[in-house]
Amino acid sequence: DTGVSQNPRHKITKRGQNVTFRCDPISEHNRLYWYRQTLGQGPEFLTYFQNEAQLEKSRLLSDRFSAERPKGSFSTLEIQRTEQGDSAMYLCASSLVAGGMGNQPQHFGDGTRLSIL
Amino acid sequence: GEDVEQSLFLSVREGDSSVINCTYTDSSSTYLYWYKQEPGAGLQLLTYIFSNMDMKQDQRLTVLLNKKDKHLSLRIADTQTGDSAIYFCAEAPMEYGNKLVFGAGTILRVKS
Protein backbone atom coordinates (compact mmCIF):
# COMPACT_ATOMS: atom_id res chain seq x y z
CA ASP A 1 0.00 0.00 0.00
CA THR A 2 1.56 3.28 -1.06
CA GLY A 3 -1.03 5.60 0.46
CA VAL A 4 -0.72 7.91 3.46
CA SER A 5 -0.37 5.91 6.66
CA GLN A 6 -1.26 7.17 10.15
CA ASN A 7 -0.62 5.57 13.51
CA PRO A 8 -2.23 4.87 15.85
CA ARG A 9 -5.77 4.69 14.46
CA HIS A 10 -7.26 5.33 17.87
CA LYS A 11 -5.85 6.84 21.03
CA ILE A 12 -7.66 7.10 24.34
CA THR A 13 -5.92 8.98 27.10
CA LYS A 14 -6.62 10.86 30.30
CA ARG A 15 -6.74 14.61 30.42
CA GLY A 16 -3.33 16.10 31.08
CA GLN A 17 -1.35 13.34 29.37
CA ASN A 18 0.86 13.86 26.32
CA VAL A 19 0.14 12.08 23.05
CA THR A 20 2.09 11.71 19.82
CA PHE A 21 0.79 10.71 16.40
CA ARG A 22 2.76 9.65 13.37
CA CYS A 23 2.14 10.17 9.68
CA ASP A 24 3.97 8.49 6.82
CA PRO A 25 3.19 10.31 3.57
CA ILE A 26 3.26 8.96 0.05
CA SER A 27 6.96 8.48 -0.54
CA GLU A 28 7.58 10.96 -3.36
CA HIS A 29 5.42 13.72 -1.82
CA ASN A 30 7.29 16.75 -0.54
CA ARG A 31 4.38 18.47 1.20
CA LEU A 32 2.73 17.16 4.35
CA TYR A 33 -0.32 18.66 6.02
CA TRP A 34 -2.05 18.14 9.36
CA TYR A 35 -5.76 18.79 9.80
CA ARG A 36 -8.17 18.37 12.69
CA GLN A 37 -11.77 17.25 12.26
CA THR A 38 -14.44 17.44 14.95
CA LEU A 39 -17.81 15.73 14.75
CA GLY A 40 -20.10 17.15 12.12
CA GLN A 41 -17.47 19.46 10.68
CA GLY A 42 -15.06 19.48 7.80
CA PRO A 43 -11.33 19.19 8.46
CA GLU A 44 -9.55 22.35 9.61
CA PHE A 45 -5.98 23.13 8.69
CA LEU A 46 -3.38 22.96 11.46
CA THR A 47 0.05 23.13 9.83
CA TYR A 48 2.08 22.05 6.83
CA PHE A 49 5.62 21.17 5.84
CA GLN A 50 7.51 21.42 2.61
CA ASN A 51 10.23 18.82 2.99
CA GLU A 52 11.49 19.35 6.55
CA ALA A 53 10.52 23.03 6.82
CA GLN A 54 7.33 23.94 8.68
CA LEU A 55 5.96 26.74 6.56
CA GLU A 56 2.68 27.67 8.18
CA LYS A 57 0.84 27.14 11.44
CA SER A 58 -2.82 27.87 12.03
CA ARG A 59 -3.88 29.89 15.04
CA LEU A 60 -5.73 26.70 16.03
CA LEU A 61 -2.33 25.24 16.85
CA SER A 62 -1.81 26.33 20.44
CA ASP A 63 1.58 26.15 22.13
CA ARG A 64 0.63 22.72 23.48
CA PHE A 65 0.84 21.38 19.93
CA SER A 66 4.08 20.74 18.12
CA ALA A 67 4.75 19.08 14.79
CA GLU A 68 7.99 17.90 13.25
CA ARG A 69 9.17 16.40 10.03
CA PRO A 70 12.86 15.91 10.80
CA LYS A 71 14.07 14.25 7.60
CA GLY A 72 11.41 15.44 5.24
CA SER A 73 9.70 12.05 5.27
CA PHE A 74 7.43 11.02 8.16
CA SER A 75 5.95 13.58 10.55
CA THR A 76 4.87 13.54 14.17
CA LEU A 77 2.24 15.66 15.89
CA GLU A 78 2.51 15.94 19.66
CA ILE A 79 -0.10 17.35 22.00
CA GLN A 80 1.06 18.14 25.51
CA ARG A 81 -1.20 18.38 28.56
CA THR A 82 -4.24 17.21 26.62
CA GLU A 83 -7.62 18.82 27.25
CA GLN A 84 -11.17 17.63 26.60
CA GLY A 85 -11.39 19.97 23.64
CA ASP A 86 -8.54 18.16 21.91
CA SER A 87 -10.82 15.18 21.26
CA ALA A 88 -11.05 14.97 17.47
CA MET A 89 -9.87 13.09 14.40
CA TYR A 90 -6.37 14.19 13.37
CA LEU A 91 -5.83 13.78 9.65
CA CYS A 92 -2.61 13.86 7.71
CA ALA A 93 -2.37 14.55 3.99
CA SER A 94 0.46 14.73 1.50
CA SER A 95 0.96 16.16 -1.95
CA LEU A 96 3.64 16.83 -4.51
CA VAL A 97 4.56 20.36 -5.42
CA ALA A 98 6.98 20.57 -8.32
CA GLY A 99 7.88 23.27 -10.79
CA GLY A 100 5.87 23.04 -13.98
CA MET A 101 3.36 20.62 -12.48
CA GLY A 102 1.57 23.00 -10.19
CA ASN A 103 0.18 21.76 -6.89
CA GLN A 104 -1.07 18.22 -7.06
CA PRO A 105 -4.10 17.11 -5.00
CA GLN A 106 -3.72 16.23 -1.36
CA HIS A 107 -4.18 12.59 -0.43
CA PHE A 108 -5.35 11.79 3.09
CA GLY A 109 -4.64 9.04 5.55
CA ASP A 110 -7.37 7.36 7.63
CA GLY A 111 -6.65 9.60 10.60
CA THR A 112 -6.00 9.13 14.29
CA ARG A 113 -9.08 9.44 16.47
CA LEU A 114 -8.18 10.97 19.84
CA SER A 115 -10.50 10.61 22.81
CA ILE A 116 -9.71 12.45 26.03
CA LEU A 117 -11.29 10.98 29.18
CA GLY B 1 -12.17 35.55 3.91
CA GLU B 2 -12.46 31.83 3.54
CA ASP B 3 -15.84 30.20 3.70
CA VAL B 4 -17.17 27.12 1.95
CA GLU B 5 -20.83 26.27 2.32
CA GLN B 6 -22.71 23.10 1.51
CA SER B 7 -26.20 21.80 2.11
CA LEU B 8 -26.19 19.40 5.04
CA PHE B 9 -28.19 16.46 3.82
CA LEU B 10 -29.37 14.79 0.62
CA SER B 11 -31.49 11.67 0.28
CA VAL B 12 -31.96 9.88 -3.06
CA ARG B 13 -33.21 6.55 -4.33
CA GLU B 14 -30.82 4.00 -5.73
CA GLY B 15 -30.41 4.51 -9.46
CA ASP B 16 -31.32 8.21 -9.37
CA SER B 17 -28.83 11.03 -9.88
CA SER B 18 -27.50 12.97 -6.89
CA VAL B 19 -26.45 16.60 -7.08
CA ILE B 20 -24.43 18.08 -4.23
CA ASN B 21 -23.90 21.83 -4.26
CA CYS B 22 -21.20 24.04 -2.81
CA THR B 23 -20.39 27.74 -2.75
CA TYR B 24 -16.93 29.09 -2.05
CA THR B 25 -15.49 32.53 -1.53
CA ASP B 26 -11.90 32.71 -2.71
CA SER B 27 -11.54 33.38 -6.42
CA SER B 28 -7.78 32.76 -6.21
CA SER B 29 -8.28 29.03 -5.74
CA THR B 30 -6.55 27.24 -8.58
CA TYR B 31 -8.27 23.94 -7.93
CA LEU B 32 -11.53 22.93 -6.30
CA TYR B 33 -11.98 19.48 -4.87
CA TRP B 34 -14.54 16.89 -3.90
CA TYR B 35 -13.68 14.38 -1.20
CA LYS B 36 -15.73 11.44 0.13
CA GLN B 37 -15.63 10.25 3.75
CA GLU B 38 -17.11 6.98 4.93
CA PRO B 39 -17.73 6.33 8.66
CA GLY B 40 -14.52 6.10 10.67
CA ALA B 41 -12.32 6.64 7.65
CA GLY B 42 -10.20 9.40 6.20
CA LEU B 43 -10.99 11.43 3.12
CA GLN B 44 -10.91 9.88 -0.31
CA LEU B 45 -10.18 12.21 -3.21
CA LEU B 46 -13.03 11.81 -5.68
CA THR B 47 -12.28 14.41 -8.30
CA TYR B 48 -11.07 17.96 -8.76
CA ILE B 49 -11.43 20.70 -11.30
CA PHE B 50 -9.02 23.36 -12.46
CA SER B 51 -10.43 26.84 -12.05
CA ASN B 52 -10.30 27.65 -15.76
CA MET B 53 -12.62 24.74 -16.58
CA ASP B 54 -16.41 24.75 -16.55
CA MET B 55 -17.00 21.03 -16.41
CA LYS B 56 -15.18 17.80 -15.78
CA GLN B 57 -16.56 14.31 -16.22
CA ASP B 58 -15.06 11.21 -14.67
CA GLN B 59 -17.13 8.03 -15.11
CA ARG B 60 -20.29 8.54 -12.99
CA LEU B 61 -19.08 11.88 -11.62
CA THR B 62 -19.65 15.25 -13.25
CA VAL B 63 -18.30 18.46 -11.72
CA LEU B 64 -19.71 21.80 -12.81
CA LEU B 65 -17.99 25.07 -11.95
CA ASN B 66 -19.55 28.52 -12.20
CA LYS B 67 -16.73 30.93 -11.41
CA LYS B 68 -18.89 34.00 -11.65
CA ASP B 69 -21.19 32.77 -8.89
CA LYS B 70 -18.43 30.80 -7.11
CA HIS B 71 -20.64 27.73 -7.27
CA LEU B 72 -19.45 24.15 -7.58
CA SER B 73 -21.58 21.04 -7.95
CA LEU B 74 -21.00 17.31 -7.99
CA ARG B 75 -23.39 15.08 -9.87
CA ILE B 76 -23.33 11.35 -9.26
CA ALA B 77 -25.14 9.38 -11.95
CA ASP B 78 -26.87 6.08 -11.16
CA THR B 79 -26.33 6.52 -7.41
CA GLN B 80 -25.61 3.29 -5.56
CA THR B 81 -25.94 2.37 -1.88
CA GLY B 82 -22.15 2.34 -1.70
CA ASP B 83 -22.19 6.05 -2.48
CA SER B 84 -23.74 6.75 0.92
CA ALA B 85 -21.15 8.87 2.73
CA ILE B 86 -20.27 12.46 3.59
CA TYR B 87 -19.09 14.57 0.67
CA PHE B 88 -16.81 17.54 1.22
CA CYS B 89 -16.18 20.40 -1.11
CA ALA B 90 -12.80 22.15 -0.65
CA GLU B 91 -11.01 25.13 -2.08
CA ALA B 92 -7.28 25.81 -2.04
CA PRO B 93 -6.67 29.56 -1.85
CA MET B 94 -3.33 30.51 -3.38
CA GLU B 95 -2.32 32.88 -0.63
CA TYR B 96 -2.67 30.28 2.09
CA GLY B 97 -0.02 27.87 0.88
CA ASN B 98 -2.65 25.82 -0.85
CA LYS B 99 -4.01 24.47 2.40
CA LEU B 100 -7.52 23.15 1.86
CA VAL B 101 -10.54 24.98 3.21
CA PHE B 102 -13.45 22.58 3.60
CA GLY B 103 -17.18 22.92 3.86
CA ALA B 104 -19.01 21.15 6.68
CA GLY B 105 -19.93 18.28 4.38
CA THR B 106 -23.12 16.94 2.81
CA ILE B 107 -24.47 13.64 4.11
CA LEU B 108 -25.71 11.58 1.17
CA ARG B 109 -28.13 8.81 1.99
CA VAL B 110 -29.07 6.37 -0.75
CA LYS B 111 -32.26 4.41 -0.24
CA SER B 112 -32.63 1.01 -1.89
Side-chain angles (χ1 to χ4, degrees):
Chain A
D1 185 9
T2 56
V4 177
S5 176
Q6 291 189 246
N7 288 289
R9 289 295 312 279
H10 304 276
K11 180 71 177 177
I12 301 172
T13 193
K14 292 183 179 179
R15 184 166 53 93
Q17 297 295 304
N18 299 343
V19 294
T20 300
F21 312 138
R22 177 179 169 124
C23 172
D24 288 88
I26 293 172
S27 58
E28 63 268 26
H29 285 183
N30 53 3
R31 277 209 182 163
L32 187 149
Y33 300 78
W34 286 99
Y35 292 83
R36 181 172 69 186
Q37 185 181 23
T38 53
L39 201 61
Q41 299 298 317
E44 294 176 292
F45 169 78
L46 291 178
T47 188
Y48 86 95
F49 294 82
Q50 175 135 341
N51 300 312
E52 65 274 9
Q54 189 173 17
L55 296 186
E56 187 180 347
K57 291 192 285 188
S58 161
R59 60 182 180 274
L60 292 176
L61 212 66
S62 77
D63 56 7
R64 296 184 297 106
F65 287 69
S66 61
E68 294 182 343
R69 194 182 182 198
K71 298 181 181 177
S73 57
F74 74 91
S75 175
T76 57
L77 178 67
E78 181 183 17
I79 309 174
Q80 296 182 324
R81 304 180 304 280
T82 51
E83 301 174 356
Q84 291 277 348
D86 296 332
S87 294
M89 172 85 91
Y90 290 84
L91 292 161
C92 175
S94 69
S95 71
L96 177 64
V97 175
M101 291 174 58
N103 293 335
Q104 298 302 300
Q106 293 178 30
H107 295 266
F108 283 78
D110 281 336
T112 294
R113 181 167 295 284
L114 175 64
S115 298
I116 306 297
L117 302 178
Chain B
E2 317 152 16
D3 198 12
V4 177
E5 295 194 354
Q6 302 178 234
S7 49
L8 290 182
F9 185 77
L10 176 65
S11 179
V12 300
R13 291 196 178 278
E14 192 175 18
D16 288 351
S17 292
S18 308
V19 179
I20 302 171
N21 294 300
C22 168
T23 58
Y24 62 97
T25 55
D26 199 307
S27 58
S28 74
S29 294
T30 308
Y31 291 97
L32 294 143
Y33 301 87
W34 285 103
Y35 284 87
K36 175 183 179 183
Q37 187 175 38
E38 298 188 38
L43 274 68
Q44 174 194 351
L45 176 67
L46 279 180
T47 187
Y48 59 100
I49 187 167
F50 191 51
S51 59
N52 69 352
M53 296 170 64
D54 297 324
M55 185 182 87
K56 180 180 178 182
Q57 187 149 4
D58 184 358
Q59 300 182 346
R60 293 191 297 122
L61 305 179
T62 303
V63 179
L64 295 178
L65 175 60
N66 181 330
K67 282 194 71 174
K68 175 176 170 289
D69 295 336
K70 297 192 179 72
H71 182 266
L72 185 72
S73 68
L74 174 70
R75 179 178 181 269
I76 305 173
D78 186 26
T79 314
Q80 302 297 306
T81 54
D83 295 324
S84 293
I86 304 175
Y87 290 80
F88 291 96
C89 165
E91 61 174 346
M94 287 288 289
E95 66 198 81
Y96 295 109
N98 295 111
K99 71 178 184 185
L100 295 176
V101 178
F102 287 88
T106 298
I107 298 171
L108 174 64
R109 187 179 81 166
V110 182
K111 296 178 285 187
S112 57

Coordinates of all heavy atoms in Angstrom, one line a residue, chain A residues 30 50 96-104:
Chain A
N30 N 6.4 15.9 -1.3 CA 7.3 16.7 -0.5 C 6.5 17.6 0.4 O 7.1 18.2 1.4 CB 8.2 17.6 -1.5 CG 7.3 18.4 -2.5 OD1 6.1 18.3 -2.5 ND2 8.1 19.1 -3.4
Q50 N 6.9 21.7 3.9 CA 7.5 21.4 2.6 C 8.9 20.8 2.9 O 9.8 21.5 3.5 CB 7.6 22.7 1.7 CG 8.3 22.3 0.4 CD 7.6 22.9 -0.8 OE1 6.5 23.3 -0.7 NE2 8.4 23.1 -1.9
L96 N 2.4 16.5 -3.8 CA 3.6 16.8 -4.5 C 3.5 18.2 -5.1 O 2.6 18.5 -5.8 CB 3.9 15.8 -5.6 CG 5.1 16.0 -6.5 CD1 6.4 15.9 -5.6 CD2 5.2 15.0 -7.6
V97 N 4.5 19.0 -4.8 CA 4.6 20.4 -5.4 C 5.9 20.4 -6.2 O 6.9 20.2 -5.6 CB 4.6 21.5 -4.3 CG1 4.8 22.8 -5.0 CG2 3.2 21.5 -3.6
A98 N 5.8 20.6 -7.5 CA 7.0 20.6 -8.3 C 6.8 21.6 -9.4 O 5.7 21.8 -10.0 CB 7.2 19.2 -8.9
G99 N 7.9 22.2 -9.8 CA 7.9 23.3 -10.8 C 7.3 22.7 -12.1 O 7.7 21.6 -12.5
G100 N 6.4 23.5 -12.7 CA 5.9 23.0 -14.0 C 4.7 22.1 -13.9 O 3.9 21.9 -14.8
M101 N 4.5 21.5 -12.7 CA 3.4 20.6 -12.5 C 2.2 21.3 -11.7 O 1.2 20.8 -11.6 CB 3.8 19.4 -11.7 CG 4.7 18.5 -12.5 SD 5.3 17.1 -11.5 CE 3.8 16.4 -11.0
G102 N 2.6 22.4 -11.1 CA 1.6 23.0 -10.2 C 1.4 22.1 -8.9 O 2.2 21.2 -8.7
N103 N 0.4 22.5 -8.1 CA 0.2 21.8 -6.9 C -0.7 20.6 -7.2 O -1.8 20.7 -7.8 CB -0.5 22.6 -5.9 CG 0.4 23.7 -5.4 OD1 1.6 23.6 -5.4 ND2 -0.1 24.8 -4.9
Q104 N -0.3 19.4 -6.9 CA -1.1 18.2 -7.1 C -2.0 18.0 -5.9 O -1.8 18.6 -4.8 CB -0.1 17.0 -7.2 CG 0.8 17.1 -8.4 CD 0.0 17.3 -9.7 OE1 -0.8 16.4 -10.1 NE2 0.2 18.4 -10.4

